[in-house]
Amino acid sequence: MQTSVIVVGGGPVGLALAASLGKVGIPCVLLERGREPSTIPRGQNLTARSLEHFCSWGCVEELRAARLLPPGFPIGGITAYGSLTGRYWYAPAGRETVSDFYYQRQERLPQYLTESVLRTRIKAFGSVVALFGWSATHIEVGEGGVHVTASDDTGDAHCEIEGSYVVGCDGARSLVREQVGITCSGTDFDQRMVLAVFRSRDLHAGLERFPPRTTYRVLHPALAGFWWFFGRVDAAETWFFHAPVPKDATAANLDAHALIEQAAGFPLACTFSHVGFWDLRVDIADTYQRGRAFIAGDAAHSHPPYGAFGLNTGFEDAVNLGWKLAAVLSGWGEPQLLDSYTTERRPIFVETGQSITEGIANDRAFLARYRPERDRDEFERAWNRLTAGDTAPSSYEPHYEGSPIVWGPAGAAISTRGQHTFRARPGHHLAPALLSSGRNVFEELGPGYTLIALTDQPRPAAAFRAAARAMGLPLRVLADTFAGPRTAYGSRFILVRPDQYVAWTGDDLPTDPAVILRRVVGS
Ligand SMILES: Cc1cc2nc3c(=O)[nH]c(=O)nc-3n(C[C@H](O)[C@H](O)[C@H](O)COP(=O)(O)OP(=O)(O)OC[C@H]3O[C@@H](n4cnc5c(N)ncnc54)[C@H](O)[C@@H]3O)c2cc1C
């Protein structure tokens, strides 16, 4: 079989990459071991940014229709001290505080439903061949192409696939990463964790003292900064729970029910459908690319599900790599454009991993230092400071200022720490804005680059169009007035990448637009 991109692993990230390639007609073969998605709910919280991706893949309505929670159910968390019946608790502001800066609203649904929506969607793209029930067994990467050997789950059928690139979206134990020799580094907390999925109406009833929320986190001095964590799967009775457990814990010797009651703080009946374990590590690949091989999602980085970053970060990897592969395979992106995948995406995870590690250390220090039974006034002052300082969602603004393929400020660096604003800034996600037609900018962005031209000139940016045409670069010019909500962009000309990040801004057009364009395609 011959294709352009071989995607190994069709969990959410591999499916997302196939959708990103399929929507622009790039041939790809996706190999996924499982005939059906695993039924463990896993990554449930999808950020507003991830919903923008579903919109661009043409399946956002299908995704919203698949949710189990009623529309409008508040997505966010409760943090309690001691247990869920504890006196001290707060409901930190969630990602809804930044939702105006995105074109879509956040969503929550079990990962297997998200995967089902994507599985259905990619089947509609003519350029995507999806092989479910097939595993990659051997990867070879040469100067001129890649070769993948695969076999089906009966072991009777085998196939050989030739492609230009291979991408390992095959999870934390990635075969692609291992076979192409990409090493990882990270922090091993030497901590075993349990993951239980269960049904309990009693738990739902016992949490009615809180405003409705989707997750419940318990901080307890005995946990050394790790959490007891409950997440809703539906609005009434299905839950997942994860917690630190002894190193030798097994499904046979762990009393998961007793642990859940301890974390809840009250007796409850529950029926388990899954009890599994994992080791708490923060791990990152030392590079996301070796020659014609790439890795994305958990294959490139993994961490405990503290903060709901894993899946959302993986989707952004897929989208970032997807447009760059499409650009190079279509001939308008320079091969060096592919180097910018590691350059842009790896620092984002480095900081995400650091903030998770620091969060665990900070909670550990807080819990060791302050105890209400030791000095209640001191504890309450510290608890109030802790809860007031919890502003994580608003300061988490991953951006690529400092990337070699955007025209960012001199000396800037790629980071997760930024500020949400409507201003269009090179290297940052474009905020939505209404056009004078009543439509949103996001409804008008092209599949390639878009030049937003906010000017009264009748046919603006002719030189830009001509330069793009000469380079074979797909460019849509979106003309409107510099008025109303669009003035918040702060610039009259905004060049937007296929992943809705801003590449360049200006109030005047450059004398030679080719200079601007050459950098953004990797020259
Ligand atoms: C308890 C828990 C809760 C979580 N909660 C959240 C959350 O709220 N938000 C969030 O963003 N993230 C969350 N995560 C993390 C999230 O689930 C992962 O980040 C996500 O699954 C990563 O997707 P992936 O596609 O990279 O990898 P995976 O989901 O691991 O998918 C890899 C796929 O590759 C396939 N595969 C592997 N090897 C081969 C091979 N050789 N050939 C063919 N196929 C292969 C596997 O069958 C699998 O389907 C949670 C994780 C856990 C465990």
Side-chain angles (χ1 to χ4, degrees):
M1 204 184 303
Q2 190 81 37
T3 190
S4 294
V5 183
I6 306 167
V7 181
V8 178
V13 174
L15 293 164
L17 179 61
S20 301
L21 296 168
K23 75 169 191 174
V24 287
I26 299 294
C28 75
V29 173
L30 175 131
L31 293 163
E32 165 53 41
R33 179 182 291 155
R35 285 198 185 266
E36 301 295 334
S38 146
T39 53
I40 301 168
R42 298 213 288 164
Q44 298 204 80
N45 270 1
L46 298 180
T47 58
R49 171 63 181 154
S50 288
L51 267 285
E52 287 182 353
H53 301 322
F54 281 84
C55 197
S56 82
W57 299 322
C59 55
V60 73
E61 295 310 326
E62 291 80 351
L63 184 84
R64 293 202 191 278
R67 63 182 291 163
L68 298 178
L69 292 166
F73 195 97
I75 298 172
I78 300 286
T79 294
Y81 178 83
S83 79
L84 292 178
T85 49
R87 165 185 178 143
Y88 301 103
W89 64 272
Y90 72 110
R95 288 182 167 128
E96 71 284 351
T97 53
V98 296
S99 58
D100 287 351
F101 299 100
Y102 296 89
Y103 174 52
Q104 292 288 325
R105 293 286 188 256
Q106 59 180 337
E107 191 55 274
R108 180 178 172 89
L109 71 167
Q111 186 168 311
Y112 56 84
L113 294 176
T114 300
E115 290 180 35
S116 294
V117 168
L118 283 171
R119 281 183 177 222
T120 304
R121 182 66 187 115
I122 62 166
K123 285 179 193 154
F125 293 120
S127 65
V128 178
V129 176
L131 300 176
F132 296 111
W134 283 79
S135 295
T137 53
H138 185 69
I139 320 289
E140 256 176 62
V141 180
E143 287 282 302
V146 300
H147 185 113
V148 174
T149 307
S151 56
D152 82 344
D153 50 12
T154 64
D156 293 338
H158 303 275
C159 75
E160 307 292 329
I161 313 168
E162 305 276 348
S164 302
Y165 299 99
V166 60
V167 186
C169 302
D170 46 349
R173 299 200 178 124
S174 170
L175 174 93
V176 175
R177 188 184 67 219
E178 184 200 302
Q179 292 206 348
V180 305
I182 296 178
T183 50
C184 286
S185 29
T187 310
D188 186 349
F189 289 88
D190 199 19
Q191 178 62 60
R192 192 160 166 80
M193 304 288 290
V194 65
L195 168 66
V197 184
F198 63 98
R199 288 167 60 189
S200 174
R201 285 191 172 266
D202 293 350
L203 180 57
H204 176 74
L207 299 181
E208 276 173 357
R209 75 180 182 121
F210 298 122
R213 287 291 187 277
T214 46
T215 55
Y216 301 82
R217 174 176 80 126
V218 180
L219 302 178
H220 189 289
L223 303 182
F226 305 117
W227 309 343
W228 285 327
F229 190 81
F230 295 89
R232 286 182 189 275
V233 180
D234 59 31
E237 61 174 0
T238 315
W239 302 87
F240 75 78
F241 172 71
H242 56 75
V245 289
K247 275 191 196 120
D248 58 356
T250 63
N253 69 19
L254 180 78
D255 189 346
H257 188 176
L259 192 57
I260 284 171
E261 288 190 329
Q262 190 185 357
F266 54 90
L268 53 93
C270 56
T271 313
F272 290 92
S273 58
H274 172 84
V275 176
F277 297 89
W278 90 92
D279 296 319
L280 203 148
R281 288 183 58 81
V282 175
D283 246 339
I284 182 163
D286 298 324
T287 173
Y288 288 7
Q289 175 185 10
R290 175 131 305 152
R292 291 177 170 271
F294 298 84
I295 48 176
D298 277 16
H301 45 73
S302 57
H303 58 71
Y306 283 17
F309 291 112
L311 180 50
N312 294 296
T313 305
F315 280 147
E316 197 70 45
D317 293 344
V319 168
N320 188 291
L321 179 58
W323 79 260
K324 292 170 182 174
L325 284 171
V328 173
L329 286 162
S330 305
W332 54 268
E334 298 291 334
Q336 306 89 279
L337 183 62
L338 296 173
D339 301 343
S340 71
Y341 168 59
T342 299
T343 309
E344 290 189 340
R345 295 302 303 155
R346 195 173 174 281
I348 299 295
F349 185 81
V350 169
E351 281 189 8
T352 305
Q354 274 164 3
S355 72
I356 291 172
T357 306
E358 281 164 21
I360 293 170
N362 291 344
D363 286 347
R364 182 179 296 162
F366 175 91
L367 293 163
R369 170 81 179 76
Y370 303 105
R371 296 276 171 91
E373 61 276 17
R374 228 163 27 211
D375 183 337
R376 173 172 293 188
D377 288 347
E378 184 194 43
F379 176 86
E380 288 182 354
R381 279 195 303 275
W383 180 256
N384 291 340
R385 274 199 307 276
L386 180 86
T387 60
D390 195 341
T391 55
S394 57
S395 56
Y396 182 79
E397 193 256 333
H399 64 79
Y400 310 135
E401 265 189 18
S403 163
I405 61 160
V406 301
W407 290 86
I414 295 166
S415 175
T416 56
R417 290 182 210 107
Q419 200 194 353
H420 284 89
T421 155
F422 288 99
R423 205 173 171 80
R425 297 161 296 165
H428 291 257
H429 170 261
L430 180 77
L434 268 191
L435 296 166
S436 47
S437 64
R439 285 167 70 79
N440 198 289
V441 165
F442 271 67
E443 294 174 86
E444 301 290 350
L445 295 174
Y449 274 87
T450 304
L451 180 69
I452 302 173
L454 303 175
T455 164
D456 295 327
Q457 288 165 19
R459 200 177 137 67
F464 236 107
R465 291 176 210 258
R469 207 175 308 118
M471 292 167 65
L473 186 152
L475 177 78
R476 178 175 295 176
V477 176
L478 178 54
D480 206 332
T481 53
F482 188 69
R486 297 173 297 288
T487 57
Y489 280 150
S491 292
R492 286 165 191 267
F493 297 97
I494 303 155
L495 184 64
V496 186
R497 311 190 327 181
D499 61 354
Q500 302 96 36
Y501 272 74
V502 175
W504 169 86
T505 58
D507 273 332
D508 299 300
L509 286 169
T511 41
D512 185 1
V515 172
I516 302 295
L517 293 177
R518 277 200 291 270
R519 179 190 286 192
V520 302
V521 297
S523 283

